[in-house]
Every structure is written in structure tokens, then in C-alpha cells.
């Protein structure tokens, strides 16, 4: 077994009894090598076989020790050795094999927003923040080997980690696949944009059009060209509707207003024309919209008014 992870820790992890320290150790171990994810999945498959096929509980500690003894000083996992060790325990319970039950039909639910934003926690603990005028369809319980949902619009996903059940988002003919991470998906038309806040994401249109994105990267699928282009995230405001943190650095005022309208689901307008020379450098964090607009007006020497729930910024006469 690879360094830093013992059989008792893995047993707690797969059984769902891991504490915060256990989870931190597993996550740190996974970051050490790209091969470790496959190694962990191999262990998990063996563990699932021992848990699901029989009522009798084998001596798993003994099995793990045998596995560990056979994999010492080996760079790559030996799945055959693992299977043999677990199978020896399973033979003791062959008379207790369960007959498969009838599968329950998957129940689907949906969330739809209009001029509002909403946050929803799925059955697996994943948290979805849906932006305005968006639609999310999801199963009430994730019973299969994957966690699959469908999105139209825009949402920020904070996915609960589960190596055995990848999380997949269908969005306008594309698929975003993750194990546990946070990212934003914009899919309001035939083009789809994915921006990664943490972790790693696989984004694809088809088998020959696939990219892997890491923290701080984003990709845009362009339907007319049928291409996926990747880039470094330059505008952190892509996450602002979720975080309510807005950052502007010599940004054109028209672009500032566009970003705030989206982030707050508001109606803000510039009165008049010739705004090209108005730029803003500032940062708002969890500010009330009225306070943020007041700061903008004071900074740029503008007049702020409100009419029928519409904020209006105008030049002083």
C-alpha cells in the first residue's frame, strides 16, 4: 500500500466514518500522484464487493493486512492480490448471498429560477447555487454508479467528493464530469462556458473534443465552430453571483454595471452617453447594492437615483 494511508484509515473512509483529519489525509495523499486516484478506486471496488454481496461480515482487518503484505515495495497496485485476499474472506459467507431486489424507479425533481437566485443541497451533500432564469433537473436520490444532473442557464457547483460516483452535468449537449470540486457553468445558449474555482474538471462535447481544467482555468465550447478553447480565468467576477465579491481594476463603467446587474439580479442603468472615459478600480465584498452604487457615485462624481426599482447613474450637470 502506498505511503501515508493504512488499511484502518481506508476502512473508515469507505465506510463513511472518516473524520475531518482522515479526509484531509486522503485528499493530501491523492494530490501526490495522478496514479493514486486509480489506486483508490481499485481499493474501493474491492471494498464494495465485500460489503454488498453478503450479509456475513468478513474479517476485513485481516484481509487488509494480507493485501498490505503482498503490495509492499511495489510501485503499482496489484488488484489480483487484493481480490484474492478479500475473496478468501467472502468464501466464509457464501451461504448468505442476498438475492437482488427490485430496483426502484429514479425520482426526478427540478428547480427553476426567474428574477431570483437560489441555493439547494442535493442528496449527496453537493451544494448548487442557481443564478437567475435557470433550470436544474436532478434525481432525488443518486442510486446508480454516477450522479447526473441537467442544467439550462447558469449555476455554481460545490460538489461533495465521492471517488466511486462521478458527478456529471449535462449542459446543452456538453458534459462536465468531476469527483469533488467547485466550478461555474454558463449554458444559456448553444455555447457553454466552464470556470473552475477549485479542484479538477473534465469538459467534453464528444470523445474527440475533451479538455481537463484545473483551478483558475476555464473553457468555452463554441457551437458554430464546434471547438473547445481553454484559457486562464482573468475575470474573477465569473463567480461573483455566488460569492458576492466583486473586483474591478480600471474597468469600464458600462462593464461594471453589467457585472452588478448579473450578480445582484438588479436593474441598473446609465443615463446619457459618452461613458468611455469612466473607469473604476475597487472591490465590493457582501455590500448591499445601494451601498455599492453609492460608493461608485461618490468615486466618479455621479448622481444616483432610483425609479420603479431601477437604479440610475447620471452625470452631474
Amino acid at each position: 500500500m502506498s505511503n501515508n494511508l493504512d488499511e484502518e484509515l481506508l476502512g473508515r473512509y469507505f465506510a463513511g466514518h472518516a473524520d475531518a483529519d482522515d479526509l484531509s489525509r486522503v485528499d493530501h495523499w491523492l494530490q501526490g500522484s495522478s496514479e493514486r486516484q486509480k489506486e483508490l478506486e481499485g481499493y474501493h471496488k474491492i471494498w464494495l464487493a465485500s460489503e454488498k454481496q453478503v450479509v456475513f461480515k468478513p474479517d476485513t482487518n485481516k484481509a487488509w493486512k494480507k493485501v498490505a503484505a503482498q503490495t509492499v515495495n511495489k510501485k503499482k497496485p496489484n488488484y489480483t492480490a487484493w481480490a484474492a485476499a478479500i475473496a478468501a474472506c467472502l468464501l466464509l459467507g457464501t451461504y448468505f448471498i442476498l438475492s437482488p431486489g427490485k430496483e426502484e424507479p429514479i425520482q426526478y425533481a427540478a428547480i427553476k429560477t426567474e428574477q431570483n437566485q437560489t441555493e439547494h443541497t442535493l442528496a449527496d451533500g453537493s451544494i448548487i447555487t442557481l443564478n437567475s432564469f435557470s433550470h436544474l433537473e436532478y434525481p432525488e436520490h443518486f442510486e446508480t454508479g454516477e450522479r447526473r444532473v441537467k442544467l439550462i442557464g447558469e449555476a455554481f457547483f460545490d460538489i461533495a467528493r465521492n471517488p466511486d460516483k462521478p458527478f456529471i452535468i449535462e449542459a446543452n449537449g456538453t458534459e462536465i464530469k468531476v469527483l469533488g470540486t467547485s466550478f461555474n457553468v454558463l449554458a444559456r445558449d448553444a455555447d457553454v462556458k466552464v470556470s473552475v474555482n477549485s479542484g479538477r474538471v473534465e469538459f467534453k462535447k464528444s470523445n474527440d473534443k475533451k479538455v481537463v481544467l484545473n483551478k483558475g482555468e476555464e473553457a468555452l465550447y463554441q457551437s458554430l465552430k464546434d471547438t473547445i478553447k481553454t484559457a486562464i480565468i482573468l475575470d474573477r467576477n465569473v463567480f461573483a453571483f455566488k460569492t458576492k465579491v466583486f473586483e474591478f481594476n480600471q474597468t469600464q463603467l458600462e462593464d461594471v454595471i453589467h457585472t452588478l446587474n448579473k450578480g445582484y439580479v438588479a436593474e441598473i442603468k446609465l443615463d446619457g452617453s459618452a461613458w468611455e472615459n469612466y473607469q473604476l478600480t475597487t472591490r465590493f465584498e457582501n455590500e448591499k447594492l445601494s451601498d455599492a452604487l453609492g460608493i461608485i457615485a461618490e468615486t466618479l462624481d455621479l448622481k444616483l437615483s432610483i425609479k420603479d426599482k431601477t437604479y440610475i447613474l447620471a452625470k452631474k450637470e
Side-chain angles (χ1 to χ4, degrees), residues 259-273:
T259 299
L260 294 178
N261 274 327
K262 175 184 174 182
Y264 285 96
V265 193
E267 186 70 23
I268 312 166
K269 293 183 178 180
L270 294 175
D271 186 24
S273 58

Side-chain angles (χ1 to χ4, degrees), residues 145-314:
E146 63 183 18
R147 298 170 286 169
R148 183 177 291 268
V149 301
K150 296 180 181 180
L151 172 70
I152 298 174
E154 183 174 21
F156 183 92
F157 294 82
D158 192 351
I159 303 304
R161 187 173 184 83
N162 187 338
D164 190 57
K165 285 189 177 183
F167 196 102
I168 299 172
I169 301 110
E170 296 180 15
N172 294 346
T174 67
E175 283 192 357
I176 302 99
K177 179 180 178 181
V178 300
L179 294 176
T181 182
S182 62
F183 54 98
N184 196 74
V185 179
L186 178 61
R188 295 197 182 277
D189 51 33
D191 294 346
V192 179
K193 185 178 182 181
V194 178
S195 306
V196 182
N197 184 54
S198 66
R200 204 176 190 191
V201 170
E202 179 186 286
F203 179 38
K204 70 176 183 177
K205 171 62 179 177
S206 58
N207 291 333
D208 61 334
K209 294 180 179 65
K210 178 171 65 176
V211 297
V212 175
L213 303 171
N214 295 298
K215 176 181 178 181
E217 297 178 337
E218 61 185 6
L220 174 65
Y221 171 71
Q222 296 177 301
S223 59
L224 290 179
K225 297 180 180 179
D226 194 27
T227 59
I228 299 178
K229 291 187 176 181
T230 62
I232 300 298
I233 297 176
L234 297 179
D235 183 9
R236 295 294 299 180
N237 292 323
V238 68
F239 306 118
F241 86 89
K242 159 66 177 177
T243 63
K244 291 299 182 284
V245 176
F246 298 85
E247 299 183 36
F248 304 107
N249 183 19
Q250 294 184 332
T251 306
Q252 295 287 331
L253 184 57
E254 291 174 317
D255 294 333
V256 172
I257 298 307
H258 173 76
T259 299
L260 294 178
N261 274 327
K262 175 184 174 182
Y264 285 96
V265 193
E267 186 70 23
I268 312 166
K269 293 183 178 180
L270 294 175
D271 186 24
S273 58
W275 291 98
E276 296 83 9
N277 295 326
Y278 286 80
Q279 298 180 342
L280 187 70
T281 299
T282 191
R283 185 177 190 271
F284 300 126
E285 184 171 353
N286 295 315
E287 295 279 359
K288 291 183 178 179
L289 178 59
S290 57
D291 293 341
L293 292 175
I295 293 171
I296 293 175
E298 183 70 22
T299 302
L300 299 178
D301 195 27
L302 302 175
K303 180 175 66 175
L304 174 65
S305 60
I306 184 170
K307 181 179 180 181
D308 298 329
K309 297 183 180 181
T310 298
Y311 291 93
I312 301 172
L313 285 168

Side-chain angles (χ1 to χ4, degrees), residues 3-277:
N3 294 335
N4 301 326
L5 289 187
D6 55 48
E7 57 270 14
E8 291 183 1
L9 187 155
L10 285 174
R12 293 193 300 272
Y13 182 78
F14 295 146
H17 299 149
D19 58 22
D21 182 62
D22 290 336
L23 294 174
S24 177
R25 286 177 60 191
V26 173
D27 185 65
H28 179 75
W29 178 79
L30 285 170
Q31 303 303 320
S33 169
S34 60
E35 293 297 318
R36 287 181 176 174
Q37 183 62 58
K38 294 181 180 179
E39 185 175 345
L40 186 66
E41 291 173 0
Y43 272 103
H44 196 227
K45 289 177 181 178
I46 301 301
W47 182 269
L48 287 175
S50 68
E51 291 292 302
K52 291 182 178 180
Q53 291 180 8
V54 298
V55 174
F56 172 77
K57 291 264 186 166
D59 187 346
T60 52
N61 285 334
K62 184 177 180 181
W64 282 123
K65 289 178 181 178
K66 186 171 182 180
V67 171
Q70 293 184 13
T71 56
V72 171
N73 297 324
K74 292 184 180 181
K75 293 183 178 180
K76 294 185 178 180
N78 187 335
Y79 297 129
T80 302
W82 299 346
I86 299 298
C89 294
L90 294 182
L91 287 174
L92 298 176
T94 53
Y95 292 101
F96 298 90
I97 296 178
L98 293 174
S99 60
K102 294 181 179 179
E103 293 186 1
E104 294 291 332
I106 298 176
Q107 300 295 321
Y108 285 89
I111 303 174
K112 183 180 180 181
T113 59
E114 293 183 358
Q115 290 184 324
N116 65 295
Q117 299 164 339
T118 189
E119 183 175 283
H120 182 74
T121 302
L122 301 181
D124 68 332
S126 296
I127 301 173
I128 315 300
T129 304
L130 209 59
N131 205 357
S132 58
F133 300 102
S134 299
H135 180 94
L136 179 73
E137 183 177 313
Y138 60 96
E140 293 181 354
H141 300 284
F142 296 108
E143 302 291 351
T144 65
E146 63 183 18
R147 298 170 286 169
R148 183 177 291 268
V149 301
K150 296 180 181 180
L151 172 70
I152 298 174
E154 183 174 21
F156 183 92
F157 294 82
D158 192 351
I159 303 304
R161 187 173 184 83
N162 187 338
D164 190 57
K165 285 189 177 183
F167 196 102
I168 299 172
I169 301 110
E170 296 180 15
N172 294 346
T174 67
E175 283 192 357
I176 302 99
K177 179 180 178 181
V178 300
L179 294 176
T181 182
S182 62
F183 54 98
N184 196 74
V185 179
L186 178 61
R188 295 197 182 277
D189 51 33
D191 294 346
V192 179
K193 185 178 182 181
V194 178
S195 306
V196 182
N197 184 54
S198 66
R200 204 176 190 191
V201 170
E202 179 186 286
F203 179 38
K204 70 176 183 177
K205 171 62 179 177
S206 58
N207 291 333
D208 61 334
K209 294 180 179 65
K210 178 171 65 176
V211 297
V212 175
L213 303 171
N214 295 298
K215 176 181 178 181
E217 297 178 337
E218 61 185 6
L220 174 65
Y221 171 71
Q222 296 177 301
S223 59
L224 290 179
K225 297 180 180 179
D226 194 27
T227 59
I228 299 178
K229 291 187 176 181
T230 62
I232 300 298
I233 297 176
L234 297 179
D235 183 9
R236 295 294 299 180
N237 292 323
V238 68
F239 306 118
F241 86 89
K242 159 66 177 177
T243 63
K244 291 299 182 284
V245 176
F246 298 85
E247 299 183 36
F248 304 107
N249 183 19
Q250 294 184 332
T251 306
Q252 295 287 331
L253 184 57
E254 291 174 317
D255 294 333
V256 172
I257 298 307
H258 173 76
T259 299
L260 294 178
N261 274 327
K262 175 184 174 182
Y264 285 96
V265 193
E267 186 70 23
I268 312 166
K269 293 183 178 180
L270 294 175
D271 186 24
S273 58
W275 291 98
E276 296 83 9
N277 295 326

